[in-house]
Amino acid sequence: MNNIWQEILDVVEEKMGKPTVEAFLKPSRAIINKEDNKLTLIVPNEFIKTYIEQKSGKLKNIIEDILEGENLKLSLEVDESIGNLSQEEYLENNNKVEKNEQKGFLSKYTFETFVVGPGNRMAHAASLAVADNPGKAYNPLFIYGGAGLGKTHLLQAIATTIRSKKPNLYILYITSEKFTNEFINAIKDDKINSFQEHYRNIDILLVDDIQFIAGKERTQEEFFHTFNTLYESGKQIVLSSDRPPKEIRTLEERLRTRFEMGLIADIQPPDLETRIAILQKKAEIENIDIDPEALVLIAEKVASNIRELEGVLTKSMALCSINQESRITIKHAQEALKNIEDNKLNNLPTMDEIAIAVSKVMQIKLEDLKSRGRKSHQANARQIAMYLCREMTKNSLPQIGEYFGRDHSTVIHAYERIKEDINKDQTLKRIIEQIRSFLKSV
């Protein structure tokens, strides 16, 4: 394995230069599956994956030529967790994943690497308290906020800290989607008893994106009993969501009340100073040399999402390496930001996509957005959809009105109302951020 990977590194460096190796291959990890005759190149972000797949035919051809001699095919995957692991460490972790019940932990997510600001201070303090005193400080701890703001980071940091202090505890980090899938498989394979025994003997249960169990009646019932068993046994439960329990529609009331029994802490988008500190921390961890002006520019332009913020820094670093330069300047930052801005212009959502996003986030039927229904929730969702169509598309007021079966004056009223209320209604603001995040993810 190491011989093939080293050969790839050596040949690419000889034919394309060291900067290409440093920018695109050194941050990546390789795994060979001989049964599938495949080498999977694990890359840390979509930028590198797209570069290898679409923009650098020469690099891809060199790798495939070497693999052809070994009767292997090339496959590319993204795994953001690989940044702090060497090739050997990644292979070791990958081998352990299949055997270790406590898989899913990412070593880079610690309290030391989490940047605290006004928008996340309470959630951070509560997470620290839980990590220091599980089962007693805040139970359950419910953390909510938009995509890419650090919820997963805090859950992982809690798990990492407890594991280091109390290695004998059984800790499980899982997404609600995985919990649901495992429950469905247990029903299918007639293994409900073993499923229940597994989940009800955990010491620390951390569930990401718990909002996705809403509407799934049997999954909610099973999680309700799991929650009760663990809570009554003094076990720690930590949940994350994109919204507070009271805003998760079709969530059973008995679950809602249990989620609200402990502490609810929200995470807001970081302010400018916090965004700068986040970039400084990432640059320090990854030993990136960057001009202060470039750092401030990135922080000013990317305001709502930490994941996107760090992505721009990574792209700036790649551009710097390609140009065989050692320090990220404002020129590299501008180029990386230009790519994002161009993508936003070229990928404007359609009114259909906005309507779907609104229906998903607000848990309302798609047809209700265009109906004559006057129920408060329907009307509110419709006005939000109109507002976003006006903000995010190039459609005219009459076109938006026609789409929703209304005239243009109704669209103007909806737009002005949401525009005014968004500055004073935090719940409304959070819903719109969730819809925007949903649109970015599809």
Side-chain angles (χ1 to χ4, degrees):
M1 163 66 229
N2 285 335
N3 291 339
I4 297 173
W5 181 237
Q6 190 58 51
E7 182 182 357
I8 290 172
L9 296 177
D10 292 342
V11 174
V12 172
E13 181 172 342
E14 178 186 343
K15 295 187 175 183
M16 297 187 69
K18 191 171 183 178
T20 299
V21 173
E22 293 291 335
F24 300 105
L25 297 185
K26 282 292 180 70
S28 305
R29 306 290 175 256
I31 297 175
I32 288 181
N33 187 327
K34 292 185 178 179
E35 293 181 4
D36 295 336
N37 293 325
K38 182 172 69 174
L39 180 143
T40 301
L41 190 59
I42 313 292
V43 300
N45 53 63
E46 287 289 346
F47 175 76
I48 291 180
K49 182 174 184 284
T50 301
Y51 181 86
I52 295 174
E53 283 183 334
Q54 301 175 13
K55 296 185 178 180
S56 181
K58 185 177 180 181
L59 175 56
K60 188 178 181 184
N61 288 340
I62 291 171
I63 297 173
E64 289 180 333
D65 287 345
I66 295 171
L67 294 182
E68 187 176 354
E70 303 289 339
N71 195 29
L72 295 170
K73 293 182 180 179
L74 176 65
S75 174
L76 288 159
E77 293 181 8
V78 175
D79 183 349
E80 296 179 355
S81 72
I82 69 176
N84 296 328
L85 300 178
S86 67
Q87 171 73 13
E88 292 73 21
E89 288 171 330
Y90 189 77
L91 287 173
E92 182 181 352
N93 282 11
N94 190 71
N95 291 333
K96 287 179 180 177
V97 147
E98 299 305 321
K99 302 172 184 176
N100 187 0
E101 281 283 279
Q102 303 185 93
K103 62 184 178 180
F105 299 119
L106 304 177
S107 60
K108 68 175 182 176
Y109 290 140
T110 66
F111 286 119
E112 289 72 28
T113 59
F114 188 87
V115 177
V116 182
N120 61 28
R121 185 167 282 113
M122 181 179 176
H124 174 262
S127 299
L128 271 175
V130 165
D132 288 338
N133 201 8
K136 296 181 175 62
Y138 303 110
N139 198 21
L141 173 60
F142 191 103
I143 300 172
Y144 73 92
L149 295 183
K151 301 186 299 297
T152 298
H153 191 141
L154 286 177
L155 265 63
Q156 293 273 350
I158 290 170
T160 300
T161 302
I162 296 175
R163 288 178 78 194
S164 67
K165 293 181 176 180
K166 301 181 179 181
N168 293 329
L169 292 183
Y170 180 17
I171 308 167
L172 181 66
Y173 165 88
I174 194 169
T175 63
S176 66
E177 181 182 16
K178 192 169 190 301
F179 179 89
T180 300
N181 290 339
E182 289 187 6
F183 176 59
I184 291 169
N185 288 333
I187 295 173
K188 176 173 65 72
D189 299 334
D190 195 23
K191 293 182 178 179
I192 283 294
N193 289 339
S194 60
F195 174 89
Q196 292 173 343
E197 183 179 354
H198 167 66
Y199 274 98
R200 297 179 191 183
N201 285 286
I202 293 167
D203 295 306
I204 314 290
L205 177 62
L206 307 105
V207 185
D208 226 343
D209 291 324
I210 193 65
Q211 74 272 10
F212 290 124
I213 70 169
K216 301 178 176 73
E217 292 182 8
R218 291 194 64 182
T219 301
Q220 289 190 71
E221 181 179 358
E222 183 60 38
F223 191 79
F224 171 79
H225 294 300
T226 298
F227 183 104
N228 278 352
T229 301
L230 295 178
Y231 182 81
E232 290 167 4
S233 302
K235 309 302 185 183
Q236 179 67 52
I237 302 165
V238 184
L239 308 170
S240 85
S241 172
D242 63 355
R243 69 201 80 171
K246 65 182 181 180
E247 291 180 17
I248 305 176
R249 291 174 61 81
T250 69
L251 181 68
E252 291 182 5
E253 188 61 28
R254 58 180 179 171
L255 272 178
R256 192 188 319 278
T257 57
R258 277 157 179 77
F259 291 174
E260 294 174 341
M261 280 167 35
L263 179 69
I264 299 176
D266 72 324
I267 300 180
Q268 295 294 326
D271 58 17
L272 176 61
E273 290 78 11
T274 305
R275 297 198 299 275
I276 292 172
I278 289 168
L279 291 172
Q280 288 173 333
K281 174 70 77 173
K282 184 172 177 65
E284 177 187 329
I285 291 171
E286 300 193 9
N287 199 26
I288 299 170
D289 192 11
I290 180 170
D291 285 344
E293 295 83 359
L295 192 143
V296 171
L297 178 67
I298 296 171
E300 287 177 338
K301 293 292 185 180
V302 184
S304 61
N305 189 301
I306 296 170
R307 208 171 288 143
E308 187 175 346
L309 190 71
E310 294 182 339
V312 174
L313 182 61
T314 300
K315 290 178 183 179
S316 301
M317 182 172 60
L319 291 166
C320 182
S321 298
I322 290 169
N323 293 326
Q324 301 186 23
E325 296 168 341
S326 60
R327 184 177 178 84
I328 296 175
T329 65
I330 200 162
K331 174 186 69 176
H332 303 120
Q334 288 171 334
E335 184 64 26
L337 287 164
K338 181 177 180 296
N339 290 339
I340 285 183
E341 289 163 0
D342 287 347
N343 287 339
K344 285 179 180 177
L345 288 174
N346 295 329
N347 293 292
L348 294 174
T350 64
M351 288 194 286
D352 279 338
E353 289 169 339
I354 289 172
I356 290 169
V358 171
S359 72
K360 292 283 186 183
V361 171
M362 301 192 70
Q363 298 176 16
I364 185 173
K365 291 180 181 178
L366 194 58
E367 55 266 29
D368 286 345
L369 290 175
K370 299 182 182 181
S371 73
R372 307 306 296 183
R374 296 181 178 273
K375 290 182 180 179
S376 175
H377 187 64
Q378 292 176 349
N380 192 42
R382 190 180 303 118
Q383 289 184 335
I384 288 172
M386 290 178 178
Y387 168 82
L388 288 170
C389 285
R390 182 63 173 159
E391 283 278 303
M392 302 181 74
T393 75
K394 294 182 178 179
N395 291 286
S396 65
L397 292 171
Q399 287 172 326
I400 297 171
E402 182 180 356
Y403 181 83
F404 289 100
R406 304 295 194 277
D407 60 35
H408 77 281
S409 63
T410 303
V411 179
I412 293 173
H413 171 74
Y415 179 79
E416 293 298 334
R417 185 225 140 192
I418 299 297
K419 186 178 180 181
E420 180 182 349
D421 289 354
I422 197 172
N423 294 317
K424 54 189 179 183
D425 186 336
Q426 288 301 310
T427 298
L428 175 63
K429 183 178 181 181
R430 187 165 53 251
I431 289 171
I432 289 175
E433 286 172 354
Q434 290 165 4
I435 296 168
R436 288 183 184 273
S437 294
F438 182 93
L439 286 165
K440 285 182 182 178
S441 68
V442 296

